[in-house]
Amino acid sequence: MTFDVLSDLNWLAVLVAAIAYFAIGAIWYAPPLFGKAWAAAGGMEIPEAGTRPSPAIYLTPLVGSVLSAIALGMLAKATGTDTFQRGIVLGLVVAIGFAVSITFVTAQFESQKPKPMVWGAITAGYHVVGNLVAAIVVATWQ
């Protein structure tokens, strides 16, 4: 694989995949779903209702979602992944092989967190779902 594959990407699909990955995070980490448990496991506090964090806090996850979608698009092109089923395989390979394994290694050494492995499981779950959806989008929307 070379970086030449970047010119072959469907950039609209990459953008949609990135937005989907980011939006999944907004839902995943919302207090009614996993937000409260994730914050407690990480020793963090969720801001009071009616208060909002700085919009800058969303920049890193947005950039991460874009970079992940680009990488998934490149891998889909390089491997000929162009169906829904193959998108699922690509998403699982990337999610489990990279995101989940890195998250759990990181969680193992986060001894200052009250429940590092719970924090890791919630974070890893988000990346599994996010990678799956993003991989399906870039694979099927060639």
Side-chain angles (χ1 to χ4, degrees):
M1 177 167 61
T2 67
F3 285 108
D4 292 341
V5 74
L6 286 168
S7 64
D8 296 329
L9 293 183
N10 177 342
W11 286 98
L12 183 56
V14 168
L15 178 63
V16 169
I19 291 168
Y21 201 152
F22 182 77
I24 289 165
I27 296 164
W28 196 267
Y29 292 108
L33 197 55
F34 297 112
K36 288 180 185 176
W38 177 79
M44 298 172 272
E45 291 186 26
I46 294 179
E48 295 290 325
T51 62
R52 300 212 180 261
S54 165
I57 195 133
Y58 301 107
L59 184 60
T60 300
L62 180 60
V63 170
S65 297
V66 170
L67 293 174
S68 292
I70 291 169
L72 285 164
M74 291 175 71
L75 288 169
K77 278 291 184 187
T79 61
T81 302
D82 59 359
T83 66
F84 183 87
Q85 294 82 2
R86 289 180 179 179
I88 289 172
V89 172
L90 176 62
L92 288 174
V93 166
V94 169
I96 294 168
F98 296 104
V100 171
S101 62
I102 291 167
T103 299
F104 277 117
V105 168
T106 302
Q108 179 65 43
F109 294 97
E110 291 283 345
S111 58
Q112 77 281 4
K113 292 187 183 329
K115 296 180 180 177
M117 295 313 270
V118 172
W119 174 87
I122 293 169
T123 302
Y126 157 63
H127 289 297
V128 169
V129 175
N131 274 292
L132 270 172
V133 171
I136 290 167
V137 169
V138 297
T140 58
W141 195 1
Q142 298 275 337

